Amino acid sequence: MHQQQNQRNQRRNHQQRNHQQQNQPQQNLSNRHSRLIAQTMNTSTNLNNNTNNNNNFNLMNNKVNLMSNNTNNANNISNNTNNANNISNNVNNANLMNNNVNNNNVNNNNN
């Protein structure tokens, strides 16, 4: 009786071992598949992060360029203002010289 039980147990253990060995390659394949999927997802995430970083860099670069343009515009306005002031001073100087000439003429005529 014990011997029959032992034989049955041995047969059952043998069947379980065979079943595990048959399923092992499939399990390995499944694990490898899962790892490949995870690697692909990581690669995809990294690519998205790189794209976002590039976009952020480009946005910052655009902001720097805009600030630089604003500075250039402000400098141009300042230069235009200076030029206008110079023209005004030249006109004032011309008027003063003209007044001096007129005054000299009046003085000469009076003398």
Side-chain angles (χ1 to χ4, degrees):
M1 175 126 175
H2 283 297
Q3 191 175 4
Q4 285 179 336
Q5 184 65 39
N6 285 342
Q7 286 174 342
R8 277 198 298 273
N9 286 344
Q10 283 176 344
R11 271 199 303 277
R12 192 173 64 245
N13 289 341
H14 189 64
Q15 286 171 343
Q16 285 176 342
R17 266 198 308 277
N18 279 347
H19 186 67
Q20 285 172 344
Q21 286 170 349
Q22 287 167 356
N23 283 344
Q24 191 61 38
Q26 183 62 37
Q27 185 62 46
N28 287 343
L29 208 63
S30 180
N31 288 344
R32 186 162 183 273
H33 194 116
S34 295
R35 280 196 306 274
L36 286 173
I37 289 174
Q39 286 171 353
T40 302
M41 289 172 70
N42 282 341
T43 301
S44 176
T45 300
N46 288 340
L47 287 174
N48 285 339
N49 286 342
N50 287 343
T51 300
N52 288 339
N53 287 341
N54 285 340
N55 288 342
N56 287 339
F57 175 79
N58 288 336
L59 285 173
M60 287 300 295
N61 211 21
N62 287 343
K63 286 180 182 178
V64 169
N65 288 338
L66 284 173
M67 288 189 288
S68 178
N69 288 342
N70 287 342
T71 300
N72 289 339
N73 287 340
N75 287 339
N76 287 338
I77 290 170
S78 177
N79 288 339
N80 289 341
T81 302
N82 288 338
N83 288 339
N85 286 338
N86 287 338
I87 291 170
S88 177
N89 287 339
N90 289 341
V91 169
N92 287 338
N93 287 339
N95 286 336
L96 285 174
M97 286 190 290
N98 200 30
N99 286 341
N100 285 338
V101 168
N102 288 339
N103 286 338
N104 285 339
N105 287 340
V106 169
N107 287 336
N108 288 338
N109 288 339
N110 287 338
N111 289 335

